[in-house]
Amino acid sequence: MDIVATLRQLIGDSGVLDATELSTRSAGALRQDALQGAALARPRTTDEVASVLRWCHQHRIGVVPCGGLTGLVHGADGSAEVVMLSLERMNAIESIDSRQRCATVQAGVILQVLQETLEQHQLIFPLDLGARGSATLGGNAATNAGGNRVIRYGMMRNMVLGLEAVLADGTIVSSMNKLIKNNAAYDLKQLFIGSEGTLGVITRLNLRLWEAPTTRNMALLGLPDFASVTALLKRMDRDLGGTLSAFEVMWQDFYQLVTTAPAEGRPPIAQDYPFYVLLEGQGADPDGDSGRFAAALETVMAEGLVVDGALSQSEADCDRFWSLRDDVAQVFRGGYPFIFDISLPLAEMENYIAGLRDSLEEKVPDHHLLVFGHLGDGNLHLAVQVPEAEGEQWRQTVESLVYEPLAAFRGSVSAEHGIGLEKRPWLGVSRNAEELALMRTLKSALDPVGILNPGKVLAP
């Protein structure tokens, strides 16, 4: 069976790359390897996606959808037997409805492209993350992306009004709703959001938009202890009158890493505080927002919750503050990093990190733990560095030390990056047997042959 030739008949010669051509394409910005597959299909329309899936379903050929390849859990890994499916040529912003505050987009649109396009309409799509220049909106939906402003706007699933998806057998399910309130039976779009391409391929979306804020105030703050961090979150959420849009926390080791050469960032405040909070407020009151923000900071500093801080004076200052938090690539400096994306209740975080430090000290003697995250929504990112030469030999040990304690705290092994292949063995930490059984029932109903992103999320 000539897979490449058949796919070219279905969607045209320019829409298909063979295995050799595919091997020249990177598997992602943070990956050293190349994509693998029997072919890469790049359809231009939903009908072409349906044609590819219908044929692959008939011939029992696995299909691995891939977006911007910015994921960190090997959710788009392929093999020599599968067809890789990219919607990179389905990249049109079809419409922007300023009155309804809704954008209709194809799944291959880059997140940053939509953000920049909306500026001329004085609207925003508030999902934001460090990979905004590469991540696609279809991929954001398929993984239920979170990012920097979940505390105010929620996850990706809160921003999707409707979508169109293609099932494994080529059936097109169009649920392109534009209504915020639509209680007409099952909300079918939620089946596909966060499913990582295992239940269907998202091809188009209707996205909810918001009016663009006209003010932005930021501060980078040094705090003496974790109790002050959680108290500050509650106070600022109240005192900023609903304008709090981000509450990011960096433990001291991470802050030192991203503010010390050869990192490009420089420390706006001293490097010797236990915790650092990046605080952002976005509003629409030019006369009042800055004063309210400064007054709130003065109060918490007078009370000792904050011991040092730098207040933004310009948009350039805001960008510099965010560049420190977004400089996650620095965790690849100084060792072989295992990177984790977890969530747990705020009240449990200090005990969890203290226990993790102790267990790592006992069982992984030569390591370095870095902690940061979107603390306003309970999401922590961890990087455990081990010596480069030892690398993968520590994976099982480190993963068990990070994941297993989450069960006692009712935490999640994945806050925003999904499960993919990497977290599949640990899914049972966060999901019970009944939940896993229902997931398998859904998978069997929508993809009975098992061609969609085979092996990801749920074990075969």
Side-chain angles (χ1 to χ4, degrees), residues 216-221 236 268-269 279-281 289-298 301 308-314 317-318 320-321:
R216 179 161 73 146
N217 294 282
M218 290 192 68
L220 183 66
L221 309 173
M236 299 308 287
I269 59 177
L279 192 69
E280 180 187 72
D289 287 340
S290 295
R292 186 182 302 110
F293 192 84
L297 289 180
E298 288 177 6
M301 292 190 78
D308 195 4
L311 184 64
S312 65
Q313 302 298 321
S314 65
D317 286 345
C318 294
R320 277 191 290 270
F321 289 167

Side-chain angles (χ1 to χ4, degrees), residues 12 14 25 27 91 107 164 217 220 230 267 294 315 323 367 390 402 429:
S14 63
R25 291 172 59 117
N91 58 9
E164 176 183 83
N217 294 282
L220 183 66
T230 56
E315 282 295 306
S323 70
H367 75 278
E390 299 175 12
V402 170
V429 171

Side-chain angles (χ1 to χ4, degrees), residues 1-12 16 52 55 59:
M1 181 186 306
D2 192 333
I3 294 176
V4 172
T6 301
L7 291 176
R8 285 176 173 164
Q9 289 177 358
L10 292 174
I11 63 174
V16 182
V52 170
W55 183 81
H59 294 86

Side-chain angles (χ1 to χ4, degrees), residues 72-89:
L72 299 175
V73 294
H74 296 274
D77 282 14
S79 65
E81 299 79 29
V82 303
V83 170
M84 301 295 290
L85 179 67
S86 171
L87 303 192
E88 63 196 60
R89 300 202 300 174

Side-chain angles (χ1 to χ4, degrees), residues 27-311:
L30 298 179
R31 300 273 297 272
Q32 301 299 315
D33 52 333
L35 286 175
Q36 296 185 53
L40 174 68
R42 302 182 301 156
R44 286 191 180 276
T45 67
T46 299
D47 286 339
E48 288 188 353
V49 174
S51 295
V52 170
L53 290 182
R54 189 178 302 114
W55 183 81
C56 289
H57 181 264
Q58 292 170 350
H59 294 86
R60 306 299 196 265
I61 296 172
V63 178
V64 177
C66 53
L69 300 173
T70 61
L72 299 175
V73 294
H74 296 274
D77 282 14
S79 65
E81 299 79 29
V82 303
V83 170
M84 301 295 290
L85 179 67
S86 171
L87 303 192
E88 63 196 60
R89 300 202 300 174
M90 293 181 62
N91 58 9
I93 299 174
E94 296 181 359
S95 67
I96 296 172
D97 186 338
S98 296
R99 182 165 55 182
Q100 186 72 13
R101 288 184 295 184
C102 173
T104 301
V105 301
Q106 294 179 341
V109 172
I110 301 295
L111 172 59
Q112 186 172 335
V113 171
L114 178 63
Q115 292 173 331
E116 293 174 350
T117 301
L118 290 173
E119 290 177 3
Q120 59 190 293
H121 298 269
Q122 291 78 54
L123 295 168
I124 62 166
F125 180 65
L127 179 72
D128 195 38
L129 35 86
R132 63 186 69 85
S134 303
T136 65
L137 293 165
N140 293 151
T143 58
N144 188 29
N148 302 328
R149 297 192 172 101
V150 172
I151 187 174
R152 182 164 176 181
Y153 299 101
M155 301 282 280
M156 181 70 174
R157 70 170 68 254
N158 301 105
M159 306 176 196
V160 178
L161 298 172
L163 59 75
E164 176 183 83
V166 183
L167 302 183
D169 64 359
T171 299
I172 298 171
V173 178
S174 184
S175 187
M176 291 290 283
N177 172 64
K178 289 188 177 183
L179 305 175
I180 295 174
K181 299 182 77 172
N182 181 0
N183 230 4
Y186 305 139
D187 191 357
L188 296 177
K189 67 177 182 290
Q190 299 296 351
L191 287 173
F192 307 103
I193 299 173
S195 71
E196 301 181 50
T198 62
L199 301 181
V201 176
I202 297 170
T203 52
R204 296 167 67 235
L205 302 116
N206 278 330
L207 301 175
R208 184 180 179 186
L209 308 177
W210 278 257
E211 298 296 329
T214 56
T215 66
R216 179 161 73 146
N217 294 282
M218 290 192 68
L220 183 66
L221 309 173
L223 285 81
D225 49 47
F226 191 76
S228 297
V229 173
T230 56
L232 179 67
L233 171 60
K234 183 174 178 61
R235 287 291 301 277
M236 299 308 287
D237 201 11
R238 182 192 69 191
D239 293 353
L240 293 184
T243 65
L244 180 63
S245 56
F247 191 93
E248 303 284 312
V249 178
M250 296 173 277
W251 271 243
Q252 184 184 55
D253 285 353
F254 181 80
Y255 180 76
Q256 290 175 343
L257 180 72
V258 298
T259 57
T260 302
E264 294 183 3
R266 293 297 174 264
I269 59 177
Q271 295 178 313
D272 52 0
Y273 302 112
F275 298 93
Y276 295 82
V277 168
L278 184 65
L279 192 69
E280 180 187 72
Q282 293 182 324
D285 181 5
D287 295 327
D289 287 340
S290 295
R292 186 182 302 110
F293 192 84
L297 289 180
E298 288 177 6
T299 299
V300 294
M301 292 190 78
E303 294 175 354
L305 292 180
V306 174
V307 293
D308 195 4
L311 184 64

Side-chain angles (χ1 to χ4, degrees), residues 336 338 364-367 386-395:
Y336 187 103
F338 298 102
V364 189
D366 193 1
H367 75 278
V386 299
E388 191 74 38
E390 299 175 12
E392 283 296 311
Q393 74 183 61
W394 285 108
R395 178 173 293 279

